[in-house]
Amino acid sequence: MPDLWREEWKILEKKLLDRGLDTGSIRRRVAAFRCETPSWGYGPSGTRFGVFPQPGEARTIWEKLEDAAECHRLTQVCPSVAIHIPWDKVDDYDKMKAFAAERGVRIGAVNPNVFQDHDYKYGSFGHSDAKVRQKARAHMQECCQIMKAVGSAILSLWFADGTDYAGQADFRQRKRRFEEELQATYAMLPGGARMLIEYKFFEPAFYHTDIADWGMALNFAQKCGERAQVLVDLGHHAHGVNIEHLVAFLIDEGRLGGFHFNNRKYADDDLTCGSTNPYELFLIFVELTAAEAEQGTLTQPIAYMIDQSHNSKAKLEAMIQTVENIQIAQAKALCVDHKTLKECQGRNDVVGAERCLLDAFHADVLPLLKCVREESGAALEPLEAFRLSAYAEKAAAQRKGKVAGAGLGVN
Ligand code: RM4
Ligand code: MN
Ligand code: MN
């Protein structure tokens, strides 16, 4: 029964119409969704206990771009690829741009790296030594030049800066150094580009981290300018933090710059998005779609990006599975009946309001996704199509030999 999903779509469509929802608009919004994949998600990764190579995993930026293009070919939702400098450093960025374009993708966010070099042992922008801060600033400048060469509109910043022990450094001084350096970086951005500031509450630092949470990131962003915004990595919060709430807050402030999608169970696990807490992912999309419904369109462009590193799953398979999970969460969120939800909220009908969410969360949206995929030329079931294809075997046969210029990719 290959076309059973068409019947299933008719049933879902009827249910949505009965709720008074505009199914044409839902389909258009599902079709418009795009999500960036990270170059480092296709390459070698592991933990500090070991890195286990996988047959066929991408060894160079060129192979990572090939895999990203395959992910996009099957899903039609991942046209851009984030790069990490220096992991993806090349001599010729025009060549990188052209190589991506030939395969139907483009370079997305540029992610500087000011945490790996030995000079950054005690920090980068927060470092007490002006020479180290200067080195970090020069790297930001290099990344801004790369952005121009590859046509990227996003500089995506994450800092490992922090301390391990009480008394190790002066918090206020470090904060002021960060302000100064972030402002200097902001001033170097290519015209119209955005700067996203990511936060994380611990790791690798175990006592304090200079940009520990979204409030600090927001404060720094506000001191830089309108094109500085907050990046929410789903794995970067303490347990129990209500991410959908802070997402709503940032949207309302006009400062939600983007996401790093992943999922975690314990810390910054970088697991498949939607694997441990699909309800949380759904609720985040509910906030996004609610704001969109209210404003007509989200007034701020939001960069949806994946930041994962799979150790036990095959990389490309895991990436395609992730994209499917994210699409499912978005589609379910679009099935929320916001009018009824508002009415329930207005009369403090707590159960009624929650039911509006649960009805949508429990909807089977796969037929809806298939309609959209059929129109876009994506595979109806991208992960299944990938598993049936010979791509993984071919890559394993072609990509033999040492890993060259690989990134860190260590959890
Ligand atoms: C951090 C953070 C950054 C990522 C690095 C490698 O935990 O999530 O986004 O670039 O890891
Ligand atoms: Mn991240
Ligand atoms: Mn992380």
Side-chain angles (χ1 to χ4, degrees), residues 200 233 236 268 270 307:
K200 175 167 161 171
D233 183 311
H236 286 194
D268 187 18
D270 283 337
D307 181 10

Side-chain angles (χ1 to χ4, degrees), residues 33 42 77 86 127-128 148 171 255 257 261 282-283:
F33 183 73
Y42 298 102
V77 296
H127 204 289
S128 55
K148 281 185 203 151
F171 294 147
R255 292 284 176 163
F261 286 125
F282 162 78
L283 293 174

Side-chain angles (χ1 to χ4, degrees), residues 198 231 233 236 260 262 307:
E198 185 173 352
L231 188 150
D233 183 311
H236 286 194
H260 269 178
N262 54 53
D307 181 10

